[in-house]
Amino acid sequence: MAVAKIEISHRTIIFTVLFLIFLKFLFSITSVLLMLFIAVIAMSALSPIVDRLQKFRIPRGLSIFLLYALIWGLISFGVASLVPPLVEQSSRFIGTLPGEVTRLSAGRFDLTVFQPQLSALPQQILKLALGLLNNIIGIFTFMVIVYYLILERKNLHKYLSFMFGDGNKEKAAEAFVNQLELKLGSWVRGQLALMLIIGFTTYAGLRFLGIEFAVPLAFLAGLLEIIPSVGPIVSAVPAVVIAYSVSPVTALATVALYFLIQQLENNLIVPKIMSKAVGLSPLVVIVALLIGLKVAGLAGAVLAIPTTLLLEILINDLYRVYYKKS
């Protein structure tokens, strides 16, 4: 019986080594790739607005600057109106939370191991705020990248045409970029609308129930709305804890409030805003969320849906191109 010989050529060895080096290089620049991906998401959301401004014969570069000025103006207005009550109520909330947790446990749990962490929470928040100041350069760099992506939006299909083989590769790449801009941009705008709706609805409900700290609790609910399925549940926990300090009936009413908001979100708000934009089934969303949490934690959960949309568009386009080619 003849024994088959397996020969590995020098070319195969060199290719394998170079491929491993390339993988290591990609791993070392993960943060840069992540920033580029987020910049593409931002470009997808802002580029259609810039296109509309161009219809008024405003140069594309100036349109981007005007859009930036509008965005920062809205952020400044929101900070000026929201931050003072948010800081004041959040400080009182953080100060009372350890006592409320201890009182609610009623000696059934040993929470002494958590007391140092809870008491040091304000200092940690202060350190976080100071650390955010060090990210100004990163934010500026991100804005510059988004600026040039929007500026070069009309030429992106030329840069990506290498992925689509021969034939009408530029046309295929242009269709890919258009789909990417449509779905990712719609996801961003829809997500912002959801966050605002949930935040204001939660604030109105908490104020109606007479629960303290309505501003930070509503802000938390709106912020965590970006994490599908898990976010609304997590945001309800501190609200129920505070409500229980008033009375068990108030706590039950708070649970009912968050449950009602989530039902309205799932059955009315999300279908109206996000179904056409995303078009993913709930099962795909949950699986993508779990994978994102496992791979990259909270950031992975936030980016799970846009990453899934990107992969869906890319796989569909590549399959269509190469299937027709074969």
Side-chain angles (χ1 to χ4, degrees), residues 7-317:
E7 296 183 358
I8 301 177
S9 65
H10 295 293
R11 182 177 298 178
T12 303
I13 296 174
I14 294 173
F15 173 79
T16 303
V17 172
L18 291 177
F19 181 71
L20 292 175
I21 293 174
F22 177 70
L23 288 180
K24 184 178 181 181
F25 171 73
L26 287 180
F27 183 77
S28 65
I29 60 170
T30 302
S31 59
V32 177
L33 296 176
L34 181 62
M35 177 182 287
L36 286 174
F37 180 54
I38 298 175
V40 169
I41 296 175
M43 180 272 295
S44 301
L46 300 179
S47 184
I49 303 176
V50 174
D51 292 339
R52 292 180 183 179
L53 289 175
Q54 277 194 287
K55 293 181 179 179
F56 296 97
R57 296 185 179 180
I58 303 175
R60 194 168 184 83
L62 180 59
S63 299
I64 301 172
F65 277 115
L66 291 176
L67 184 57
Y68 274 179
L70 177 62
I71 292 173
W72 282 109
L74 292 174
I75 291 175
S76 300
F77 175 77
V79 168
S81 58
L82 179 64
V83 165
L86 180 62
V87 171
E88 188 269 333
Q89 292 191 23
S90 297
S91 299
R92 290 195 293 119
F93 172 67
I94 292 170
T96 58
L97 186 59
E100 294 297 337
V101 173
T102 303
R103 189 179 69 81
L104 291 174
S105 65
R108 285 171 294 183
F109 302 99
D110 184 12
L111 298 177
T112 56
V113 293
F114 298 104
Q115 291 301 327
Q117 288 81 356
L118 291 174
S119 61
L121 199 54
Q123 291 82 356
Q124 296 297 327
I125 293 178
L126 178 60
K127 290 181 181 179
L128 178 62
L130 293 175
L132 290 176
L133 296 178
N134 297 326
N135 293 328
I136 293 177
I137 296 178
I139 294 174
F140 178 76
T141 304
F142 174 77
M143 292 177 61
V144 171
I145 293 174
V146 174
Y147 172 84
Y148 281 108
L149 281 175
I150 298 175
L151 199 64
E152 292 291 322
R153 162 63 183 85
K154 301 299 182 182
N155 298 318
L156 284 181
H157 64 281
K158 296 179 181 178
Y159 306 143
L160 299 175
S161 59
F162 70 92
M163 297 189 304
F164 297 93
D166 300 326
N168 296 325
K169 56 183 181 181
E170 285 196 10
K171 186 177 180 180
E174 185 174 4
F176 167 75
V177 173
N178 289 337
Q179 281 291 314
L180 187 67
E181 181 179 273
L182 176 63
K183 287 210 169 186
L184 289 184
S186 299
W187 176 82
V188 172
R189 292 185 291 270
Q191 194 65 56
L192 289 175
L194 279 176
M195 293 169 69
L196 288 173
I197 292 172
I198 296 302
F200 280 116
T201 305
T202 304
Y203 175 77
L206 293 175
R207 292 285 293 177
F208 177 78
L209 294 176
I211 296 174
E212 270 194 299
F213 317 116
V215 173
L217 291 173
F219 181 80
L220 182 65
L223 188 65
L224 292 180
E225 180 60 28
I226 199 171
I227 306 177
S229 304
V230 177
I233 298 174
V234 174
S235 66
V237 174
V240 174
V241 171
I242 293 300
Y244 193 83
S245 66
V246 179
S247 70
V249 175
T250 306
L252 288 175
T254 304
V255 172
L257 170 66
Y258 276 80
F259 178 77
L260 177 62
I261 291 174
Q262 190 169 13
Q263 291 304 307
L264 289 174
E265 172 194 354
N266 293 336
N267 297 299
L268 181 63
I269 303 174
V270 170
K272 289 289 185 181
I273 296 178
M274 297 292 286
S275 61
K276 292 183 179 179
V278 177
L280 297 177
S281 70
L283 178 60
V284 173
V285 170
I286 293 173
V287 172
L289 177 63
L290 292 175
I291 294 174
L293 281 170
K294 183 67 175 180
V295 173
L298 183 60
V302 172
L303 296 174
I305 303 304
T307 302
T308 304
L309 291 173
L310 172 63
L311 292 175
E312 179 192 30
I313 296 169
L314 184 61
I315 292 172
N316 286 339
D317 282 7

